[in-house]
Amino acid sequence: MRRPTVLLLTALLGGQLALALVIARTGSDHAAFSAKDPLLAFEPAKIDQIAIDDDAGHAVMLDKQNGQWVIPASAGFPADQGRVESFLSQLAALKRGLPVAETVGAAERFKLTEKVHDRRVVLTSGGTKVGELLIGTSPTYRQVHARVSDAPAIYVVDFAAYDAESDAGAWMNHGLLDTPRNKIASIAVGDVTLDGKDGKFTLAGLTQDDKPLADKIDSLVGALAHPPFDAVQGKGKDALAKVDDPDVTATVKRADGSSVTYRYKKDAGSYLFASSAQDYLFRVADDKIKPVVEAKRAALIEAPKPKPETKPETAPQAQQTQAPEARAQETKAQQDKAPDPNAAPQAAPEGARSDTQASHGDAPPTGHGG
């Protein structure tokens, strides 16, 4: 009886070992597969069109023309070449890993459907779509749930939705208008002239008493060395005609002798502006160019501190000061004029007595007879 039991236990043990070995091998193969398989299989250098949208209705398309990335909907304005290339490399580096779900319900929950998604990225090469990636919710910092559009598997990948902006402004080459500070010889706007040398700027015409405000001068230089803009409004003669009568004109003279003039025109809560070095018309928010449109020489110099005023003594105060003395003198004068009650009465003057008698006739005789 013992022999069959031992054989049975031995067989069970062998089966368990075999199962463990299979699981171990399967896990290793799967781990190797996860580390090698890309989420999207494409060659970045062969991509010539990128389309990005979100479920809120925002969308942008980037085209590669003559080897350069541009934004067709923004008058063909140049895109940030480095950012586009980095974005494609980032997508190509994404790996499948272990799927966290594969059901339709999970796709809806993680915002990975055709109708509901945080971002959708479509890559095209030579007119043929080579990849479409849906990006959804974020389980943690710089990680998102993602799904390739033609497969149900959902993965967690190292990515962030803001790496795939659906706004054209985020992809523009915002450095196209830049002039390095150390290449600027002078800046002139309104009654302000700034002289530049080795990237440092001074306000022209300062006197010994003038104290320039370095922070305000730096803000003005920054706004013209790196002119900010939010959108491209058009290109060419008709577009540039909108700033023919500018509200503000600023000129940046470069160290090589060339110069660039910027014309700004107020337009519905923002400004339209153009650069003499480009044929694009730009739009920028008011607050981003306040240093330029509000440039005044007086605003770049510290206001002199007011001196304390010495108020002259007023007439009432003077009278109040002198009143006791004057009153004392007046009192003394009145006392001098008053009669002394202890003095003998004075005889009336002769003339005065005769006049009195004349007014009453001769006095009657006194005594007997007569």
Side-chain angles (χ1 to χ4, degrees), residues 165-191:
E165 289 283 2
S166 54
D167 176 65
W171 294 96
M172 290 180 179
N173 179 6
H174 286 272
L176 187 68
L177 304 179
D178 288 5
T179 301
R181 291 192 178 209
N182 61 355
K183 302 296 183 182
I184 297 177
S186 67
I187 291 174
V189 51
D191 64 349

Side-chain angles (χ1 to χ4, degrees), residues 352-370:
R353 188 169 58 247
S354 299
D355 291 342
T356 304
Q357 292 175 352
S359 64
H360 292 89
D362 295 334
T366 57
H368 301 281

Side-chain angles (χ1 to χ4, degrees), residues 5 41 55 76 90 95 102 123 130 178-179 188 213 221 224-225 242 249 252 267 275-276 280 307 328 335-336 343:
T5 302
D55 56 13
Q90 191 177 7
K95 305 299 181 182
E102 295 186 352
L123 305 178
V130 298
D178 288 5
T179 301
L213 298 173
V221 173
L224 289 170
K242 295 180 180 180
T249 299
V252 176
D267 183 73
S275 163
S276 61
Y280 293 99
K307 296 180 180 179
Q335 290 174 350
D336 292 343

Side-chain angles (χ1 to χ4, degrees), residues 26-38 95-99 155:
T26 303
S28 299
D29 291 344
H30 187 73
F33 172 81
S34 299
K36 294 180 179 179
D37 285 3
K95 305 299 181 182
R96 289 183 181 272
L98 290 170
Y155 304 93

Side-chain angles (χ1 to χ4, degrees), residues 84-134:
V84 177
E85 292 172 2
S86 176
F87 174 68
L88 289 174
S89 297
Q90 191 177 7
L91 289 179
L94 297 179
K95 305 299 181 182
R96 289 183 181 272
L98 290 170
V100 296
E102 295 186 352
T103 65
V104 174
E108 293 175 348
R109 186 168 66 253
F110 294 137
K111 295 183 64 175
L112 292 170
T113 68
E114 291 293 318
K115 290 185 178 180
V116 182
H117 50 267
D118 202 348
R119 298 288 193 276
R120 172 169 45 196
V121 180
V122 179
L123 305 178
T124 303
S125 177
T128 301
K129 184 171 76 172
V130 298
E132 180 175 338
L133 182 67
L134 295 170

